[in-house]
Amino acid sequence: MMRRVVGYAILTFFAVLFLGPFVLSVVTSFKTRPDFAQNPVSLVPDPVTTEWWRQALGLTESPVADVPRWLVNTVVVALVVMVARVLLDSLAGYALARMNFPGRRLLFAGIIAVLAVPPIVLLVPRFLVLKELSMYATYSALILPLAADATGIFIMRQFFLAMPRELEEAARIDGAGVLRTWWSVILPLARPGVITLAILSFQSSWNEFPHMLIANNKPELYTLPVGLALIRGSQGQDFNFPFFLATATLTMIPVAIVFFVFQRYFVRGLMEGAVKG
Amino acid sequence: MLRALIAVLLVVSVAACGGGEGFDKPEASSAASPAQGGELRVLAASSGNVETEALQNAFKAFEATGKGKVKLEIATDLTTQLTTALAGGNPPDLFYVPVENVRDLVKAGALEPYGDKAGIEVYPALKEAFTVDGAYYCVPKDFSTLALAVNTSMVSSPPTTWEELKAEVRKHEVGLTIAPELVRVLVFMQQAGGFVLSDDLKQATGDTPQNRQGLAFLRELGAKTPKQLGAGWAGEAFGKGKAAMTIEGNWMLGAMKKDFPDLKWQAVELPAGPAGKGTLAFTVCWGMAAASKNKELALELVKFLMSDEQQLALTRGFGPMPATPRLRDKWLEAYPDAKAFIAGAEYAKTPLWPAGFKPVIDETNTEIDKLLQGSAKPEQVLQAFDEAAKGVLE
Amino acid sequence: MTGSAVPGDPGMAASPEAGRGRSPAAGGGKSPVSGRGKGRARGPGIRGREGLWGWLFMAPALVILGLFMVIPILLALWVSFRSWSGLESPFGPGSQPVGLDNYAELLVEPGLAQRDFARGLRNNLYYVLGVVPVQTAIAFFLALVLHQKVLRARGFFRSAFYFPSITSSVAVALVFMAIFQPNGVLNRTLEFFGLDGSVWLDDPRGLVHIVLGWFGVSEAPGFLQGRFMGLSWWDWLSGPSVTLTAIMAIAVWTTIGTFMLMFLAGLQNLPRDVDEAAVVDGANRWQLFWRITLPQMRPTLFLVLTLGIIGTWQVFDQIFVISDGGPQKTSLTPAYLVYVFGFETRQMGLACAVAFLLFLVIVLFTLLQRRLLRER
């Protein structure tokens, strides 16, 4: 009994610690600036204002920043990256898992090596490559470098390795071609893996900051994290926290929805992977 | 099924590549388009909606002359955005160049020296600021000076000398807030008769008795940094009444009106020190990209923007002063509040830095922050400046 | 930047990948990381022109990875041996080969670059030493609590703890900026309990210096005035500044969730009979943990520590949003320095050299940690 009480006490304490800031963020986004300055801790905005949300959603005459545009950019980037990664990563993952071709071991070692590169090392050189390719500050610059990733290839390879071969064999006996077998037999079988990969890709490209920062300098191509990071605190602009937090909340909502809808996949994908080891 | 897959792959690649191109098209084709001299890309920074709208109106007026089109980009971080645009090989045709960047850009060969061609009369000191090795690179669009902003409901009579300033500061919990930056605290060194670089920009003159005196005085004032007061910049701390006074430039005029319309305040000339008055001037020019394919039209646009009418329109409501001396009185008539700033122009010094000096400024700002927070002495700040500057000047 | 293992940014891509490293791969190794390296699956596979198909399947991903991972790294290596402002063409006269000058400027030549790099190393070292143990300990602790079958609603708590790990690091940084404001939530809460707050995000005082100050030591004693890499020993030993500590707290808060899930997965994977046997032998809870659970959890612990170290050495997002490396450069980190050199002071050569040195540091730390854990 005592153990339970202590257990719940600990869990509740940490739940408040982990969820509190989000609650505060949502509440603050409905506060007026004087109210926030006076009562930053209060959980009841007084008065309630929708000014900041209207600004963030572009419903006011002259908004501080073009947040709706950032939102659209983020959606486009995250969705395209997601589709691209699912396709490219699973193609490559399948080849590495099931096909015998010269150079396979070498390629696999290469993928592992790429996996070990700390992303921050790429900050400057990616910019250089994008500019050499005349891609700098275009949608391609935001999307293409993320269109395939070593992690995803690795995940898919592991999924394909774990899959029974019998079904493929059956399909091949039916005389289906390689690509066709992959598309209509393999990929559907790898569904849990594909969904996990899709969710991870969406989430990571939605939140991606350093790459989006160095791949573009045009405000009309900002994604939410970049816009959010750049609106605060340049000279002449003061810290308008209620507005910032409205935009921050807007940034967090889609991933939160995906998380709560698909958390089975989020969590289970992660757990299964680790458990089977 | 297979067809579906291929279709999806196509969509992805089109979305990835085509999407980008689609958005670039208007600009990419602009240089080549012969119609009406084509389209210019202009990169500017903006203090807010007022400035953005003023720029947009000016460009509309230019387009109405039928000479060409203008596409405006507003930078959130001008220096970085300019660097990336120049390095990225697609610089805008015209862009703001703050005076502290001009020597870096000249060194990199990024600027077209068109100043003399434009034939526009500006204050000689401003012209000199944008002249490097004898070549007049770009036309200053406007300028600002630093003044003392005084909260008139907290301060009854604005101080005019160091002694008065010291006495006034003592009456308040926080008398003065100042950004922990060299290009603010330098005014105290000037008022004591010093400066940190020789006029030819070849010698660091940080650790001198005058400069020490200036910083020692600043320390006596017990000034707080804006961040110590929980504000993003000095104007915010001042506007919220967290400090009775601050030292900022013309942009205060627009910013206070926008963010703190009810605030009772006044800008006065900076108090005079032992060596008299001293303040800094900041200026920004219309830089033209050496790589621009539309230099003729760009020059036309500069001339247009520097016409009396446009200069007055472009300096309306957010602060900076016209760069052309003959507009001085007209402008002052319209903005009596700005008297202190324009008065400062008489004796202001434009801080010029040699190429590659930014790390030195950053390092010095770090030391100045220490000074304001009480963990460094004036001589340490100045020695740090000298040491850092030496590395770049050699 | 890609979704690889970066606990510093809440991307959780790290976890499944890492988890899977020890998973269905039949040839999987003893430790998750070495498991990755073991290729396998030598079977009949698809018949026919497999060579061609294999390369075709790999091609799109290879093009992307080649263009945006491999070439950039080679380019960076090349640039790190040049002096180049980034404004002119890298192949033009504005870009000159300078041999090892950039590396020398960072490591041995007295000057600003060296001092900034030294500051970056110092700050990040404190950051790693502070964040990694704390996040690992709390994550393990929460996993142990959540592993108690007697508790209900574990799913809810698990999600609640994990949620911060998957949200945008930039958004989270802004939320915490509001909390850490001088007049913000934290100070008001402290006030309520009769405690003094601080200007959290603009307080450059090092923690060690503060503590020494309590004992009257407020300036460098003589024997600490010597310098190493342009920074006095007194400055090296400052401890993390108050501001950096605040940022560390945010990092801990963001990453606990992911690591907790990894520990949880590890715990569920433990054979129960060993526990039971130990309990029958009369071991108490504490002994059970130290003698049975912990040793068995070593692979997971190893994984979490490795990912933690790799992530904390790359801290960038929070610094960019919250502090710009300040106050007084006490939150400057090598990763942020890469950005400053590359995009603010236009010293591309230095930027790339810092990036490679950082790479080296990460490799060294990972090896060191691996060694320490093995020897135990």
Side-chain angles (χ1 to χ4, degrees):
Chain A
M1 187 58 206
M2 191 57 206
R3 223 176 109 200
R4 262 196 221 185
V5 173
V6 173
Y8 285 124
I10 293 169
L11 292 180
T12 312
F13 172 79
F14 277 97
V16 170
L17 201 65
F18 283 118
L19 295 182
F22 296 108
V23 175
L24 218 56
S25 174
V26 174
V27 171
T28 305
S29 70
F30 289 103
K31 284 183 181 177
T32 60
R33 289 181 71 178
D35 184 27
F36 172 68
Q38 290 305 312
N39 316 302
V41 190
S42 155
L43 292 180
V44 186
D46 177 32
V48 175
T49 177
T50 53
E51 162 75 14
W52 316 118
W53 278 97
R54 280 185 289 125
Q55 289 235 3
L57 296 172
L59 303 175
T60 49
E61 273 292 300
S62 49
V64 182
D66 198 356
V67 181
R69 182 66 193 259
W70 304 346
L71 179 64
V72 171
N73 290 339
T74 318
V75 170
V76 170
V77 168
L79 287 181
V80 177
V81 168
M82 182 180 87
V83 174
R85 273 196 189 172
V86 163
L87 290 175
L88 302 192
D89 290 353
S90 45
L91 274 173
Y94 181 71
L96 287 175
R98 284 293 158 85
M99 290 173 159
N100 266 321
F101 58 94
R104 193 191 65 178
R105 282 173 155 252
L106 194 72
L107 283 185
F108 186 64
I111 301 281
I112 296 301
V114 166
L115 223 126
V117 174
I120 204 76
V121 173
L122 296 166
L123 200 66
V124 171
R126 269 235 182 115
F127 160 75
L128 298 176
V129 167
L130 287 173
K131 118 195 171 142
E132 288 305 315
L133 295 173
S134 304
M135 256 197 219
Y136 183 71
T138 63
Y139 271 108
S140 322
L142 303 184
I143 293 168
L144 280 185
L146 305 181
D149 69 316
T151 313
I153 295 175
F154 191 80
I155 293 181
M156 290 319 292
R157 173 184 174 269
Q158 303 306 97
F159 263 97
F160 289 125
L161 279 179
M163 250 168 44
R165 275 165 188 277
E166 291 74 26
L167 286 157
E168 287 169 61
E169 306 279 350
R172 244 178 289 134
I173 290 159
D174 288 348
V178 177
L179 203 55
R180 179 159 210 149
T181 313
W182 177 78
W183 175 252
S184 40
V185 180
I186 315 283
L187 212 52
L189 281 175
R191 201 185 196 144
V194 167
I195 294 179
T196 306
L197 177 63
I199 291 168
L200 294 182
S201 305
F202 179 84
Q203 178 256 358
S204 74
S205 50
W206 183 280
N207 292 338
E208 177 60 46
F209 175 64
H211 175 71
M212 303 300 169
L213 180 70
I214 56 101
N216 159 56
N217 62 359
K218 289 188 188 156
E220 67 260 32
L221 291 185
Y222 284 171
T223 58
L224 278 168
V226 173
L228 201 51
L230 292 177
I231 44 169
R232 53 91 233 181
S234 60
Q235 188 171 65
Q237 271 180 328
D238 42 18
F239 290 170
N240 184 352
F241 278 111
F243 171 62
F244 291 173
L245 295 189
T247 314
T249 307
L250 182 68
T251 308
M252 297 189 283
I253 286 173
V255 173
I257 292 173
V258 170
F259 177 66
F260 286 109
V261 173
F262 292 99
Q263 66 166 307
R264 267 185 323 141
Y265 288 97
F266 251 111
V267 179
R268 191 187 289 168
L270 177 80
M271 306 287 258
E272 269 175 6
V275 173
K276 277 186 191 158
Chain B
M1 252 326 192
L2 195 55
R3 239 176 263 156
L5 165 65
I6 292 167
V8 171
L9 272 173
L10 269 177
V11 168
V12 170
S13 53
V14 169
C17 314
E21 276 159 26
F23 269 92
D24 283 344
K25 226 161 233 163
E27 297 152 24
S29 59
S30 69
S33 153
Q36 302 295 341
E39 189 183 67
L40 291 171
R41 277 171 60 217
V42 176
L43 179 70
S46 172
S47 59
N49 291 337
V50 186
E51 187 167 359
T52 310
E53 273 164 35
L55 282 166
Q56 280 163 347
N57 290 339
F59 294 149
K60 259 183 222 146
F62 179 73
E63 287 180 351
T65 65
K67 286 177 178 147
K69 295 199 157 202
V70 182
K71 185 172 179 273
L72 173 66
E73 282 172 28
I74 296 291
T76 35
D77 178 352
L78 183 72
T79 313
T80 309
Q81 249 159 294
L82 201 54
T83 303
T84 48
L86 287 165
N90 66 335
D93 301 280
L94 279 180
F95 40 84
Y96 280 15
V97 179
V99 67
E100 67 262 28
N101 292 344
V102 71
R103 278 155 185 81
D104 282 321
L105 295 178
V106 167
K107 193 180 169 206
L111 285 185
E112 176 74 15
Y114 74 91
D116 286 320
K117 250 195 268 175
I120 293 159
E121 184 209 0
V122 298
Y123 287 98
L126 298 182
K127 178 178 170 181
E128 198 190 318
F130 292 107
T131 302
V132 184
D133 296 331
Y136 176 25
Y137 275 86
C138 52
V139 177
K141 68 179 192 74
D142 54 29
F143 76 111
S144 302
T145 60
L146 293 179
L148 185 71
V150 178
N151 184 325
T152 42
S153 33
M154 294 165 86
V155 177
S156 45
S157 66
T160 57
T161 62
W162 275 19
E163 287 69 35
E164 288 175 29
L165 178 60
K166 194 152 72 177
E168 185 60 49
V169 162
R170 298 238 160 101
K171 294 182 197 160
H172 306 276
E173 197 192 327
V174 180
L176 180 72
T177 179
I178 186 170
E181 289 179 25
L182 182 60
V183 289
R184 295 289 182 286
V185 308
L186 248 177
V187 295
F188 291 103
M189 302 186 222
Q190 291 174 280
Q191 288 150 13
F195 200 74
V196 290
L197 270 188
S198 62
D199 285 342
D200 63 1
L201 310 186
K202 289 194 173 129
Q203 289 286 323
T205 56
D207 194 12
T208 63
Q210 293 89 339
N211 289 344
R212 282 195 190 194
Q213 190 187 3
L215 291 185
F217 175 67
L218 170 63
R219 209 152 95 135
E220 279 177 53
L221 295 178
K224 294 263 188 239
T225 67
K227 280 204 183 145
Q228 282 179 305
L229 302 174
W233 69 293
E236 187 190 349
F238 176 75
K240 285 180 173 166
K242 291 186 173 173
M245 293 173 279
T246 188
I247 295 175
E248 283 289 337
N250 292 54
W251 47 88
M252 284 290 282
L253 296 170
M256 291 301 107
K257 200 189 277 172
K258 186 180 87 188
D259 294 339
F260 306 98
D262 301 330
L263 184 75
K264 292 197 172 53
W265 74 288
Q266 183 192 356
V268 297
E269 286 182 70
L270 290 172
K277 292 178 179 176
T279 189
L280 293 170
F282 302 98
T283 174
V284 174
C285 78
W286 285 113
M288 189 188 293
S292 166
K293 291 181 182 107
N294 230 334
K295 288 178 191 158
E296 289 300 314
L297 185 61
L299 185 60
E300 285 297 315
L301 180 58
V302 172
K303 283 182 184 164
F304 178 81
L305 293 171
M306 293 304 291
S307 67
D308 289 4
E309 187 196 349
Q310 288 302 329
Q311 265 204 82
L312 286 174
L314 277 171
T315 50
R316 184 173 296 152
F318 49 91
M321 300 170 279
T324 306
R326 66 170 177 278
L327 294 175
R328 180 183 188 274
D329 294 338
K330 218 174 185 178
W331 192 80
L332 193 55
E333 225 168 80
Y335 306 101
D337 292 350
K339 211 168 73 188
F341 296 109
I342 220 156
E346 303 293 332
Y347 49 87
K349 188 175 167 81
T350 308
L352 303 179
W353 314 119
F357 217 62
K358 188 173 185 299
V360 181
I361 306 281
D362 288 347
E363 179 71 13
T364 312
N365 291 346
T366 291
E367 294 296 317
I368 288 168
D369 196 45
K370 285 187 192 167
L371 178 88
L372 290 170
Q373 304 215 14
S375 64
K377 300 189 184 91
E379 56 268 30
Q380 287 171 324
V381 177
L382 297 166
Q383 283 157 7
F385 172 85
D386 283 342
E387 196 189 318
K390 217 170 62 189
V392 174
L393 294 172
E394 267 164 8
Chain C
M1 292 205 214
T2 53
S4 85
V6 199
D9 105 21
M12 63 151 289
S15 12
E17 166 264 302
R20 245 159 260 294
R22 46 213 292 282
S23 67
K30 303 99 214 150
S31 84
V33 169
S34 71
R36 283 175 181 173
K38 305 234 162 95
R40 46 135 295 120
R42 176 116 4 127
I46 297 173
R47 290 164 315 197
R49 293 162 301 177
E50 276 199 5
L52 184 64
W53 278 112
W55 280 93
L56 275 180
F57 269 47
M58 292 294 299
L62 285 183
V63 170
I64 298 286
L65 292 180
L67 269 182
F68 300 109
M69 300 286 292
V70 179
I71 293 181
I73 291 169
L74 297 177
L75 194 65
L77 190 63
W78 183 69
V79 171
S80 79
F81 295 112
R82 303 180 79 82
S83 162
W84 176 42
S85 76
L87 292 180
E88 314 91 334
S89 156
F91 308 106
S95 156
Q96 295 293 332
V98 293
L100 287 168
D101 278 10
N102 289 324
Y103 292 94
E105 212 179 306
L106 291 169
L107 296 172
V108 293
E109 277 171 28
L112 278 185
Q114 186 204 36
R115 201 182 312 161
D116 281 346
F117 186 61
R119 282 174 174 136
L121 285 179
R122 173 198 62 184
N123 299 339
N124 219 332
L125 205 61
Y126 286 122
Y127 185 91
V128 173
L129 291 178
V131 171
V132 175
V134 175
Q135 76 189 8
T136 309
I138 299 180
F140 202 172
F141 174 70
L142 286 181
L144 286 170
V145 175
L146 277 180
H147 194 54
Q148 313 279 313
K149 296 266 174 350
V150 287
L151 298 178
R152 284 159 176 264
R154 281 174 301 158
F156 163 78
F157 287 112
R158 195 179 56 191
S159 302
F161 299 167
Y162 183 46
F163 187 60
S165 301
I166 57 140
T167 46
S168 156
S169 53
V170 174
V172 163
L174 275 169
V175 174
F176 274 93
M177 272 179 92
I179 291 175
F180 282 123
Q181 281 304 294
N183 208 10
V185 178
L186 182 60
N187 278 355
R188 288 296 180 86
T189 312
L190 290 173
E191 218 172 83
F192 181 79
F193 290 106
L195 297 166
D196 280 338
S198 167
V199 189
W200 301 103
L201 299 183
D202 192 46
D203 192 338
R205 293 172 304 154
L207 292 190
V208 174
H209 283 180
I210 291 178
V211 172
L212 288 174
W214 296 341
F215 298 99
V217 185
S218 58
E219 273 184 33
F223 64 97
L224 287 180
Q225 275 170 354
R227 286 184 169 213
F228 174 63
M229 285 181 76
L231 218 54
S232 72
W233 289 109
W234 170 252
D235 281 336
W236 276 102
L237 297 174
S238 65
S241 70
V242 174
T243 302
L244 187 64
T245 311
I247 296 174
M248 284 158 65
I250 300 172
V252 168
W253 184 86
T254 335
T255 42
I256 283 179
T258 307
F259 294 141
M260 175 202 71
L261 281 192
M262 290 185 189
F263 279 121
L264 211 46
L267 285 171
Q268 287 172 0
N269 197 24
L270 296 184
R272 288 210 70 80
D273 45 349
V274 181
D275 278 22
E276 279 151 19
V279 172
V280 170
D281 288 350
N284 66 25
R285 215 148 247 301
W286 196 239
Q287 289 170 326
L288 193 70
F289 173 75
W290 283 107
R291 303 228 181 111
I292 313 285
T293 314
L294 194 61
Q296 283 182 305
M297 287 293 284
R298 258 177 63 167
T300 314
L301 196 61
F302 172 77
L303 174 73
V304 167
L305 287 173
T306 308
L307 291 176
I309 288 171
I310 293 173
T312 44
W313 270 107
Q314 298 185 66
V315 54
F316 176 80
D317 303 7
Q318 290 92 339
I319 308 277
F320 186 95
V321 176
I322 294 175
S323 69
D324 285 330
Q328 297 173 15
K329 300 189 179 176
T330 57
S331 66
L332 198 65
T333 62
Y336 189 71
L337 207 53
V338 172
Y339 181 82
V340 171
F341 283 144
F343 298 104
E344 287 183 0
T345 65
R346 306 185 183 94
Q347 296 162 293
M348 287 290 177
L350 275 182
C352 290
V354 173
F356 272 94
L357 289 174
L358 179 59
F359 197 173
L360 210 68
V361 168
I362 293 174
V363 171
L364 279 179
F365 259 78
T366 316
L367 291 178
L368 183 76
Q369 176 261 9
R370 189 175 231 180
R371 235 193 120 111
L372 287 178
L373 213 70
R374 191 175 291 158
E375 272 168 11
R376 264 213 232 133

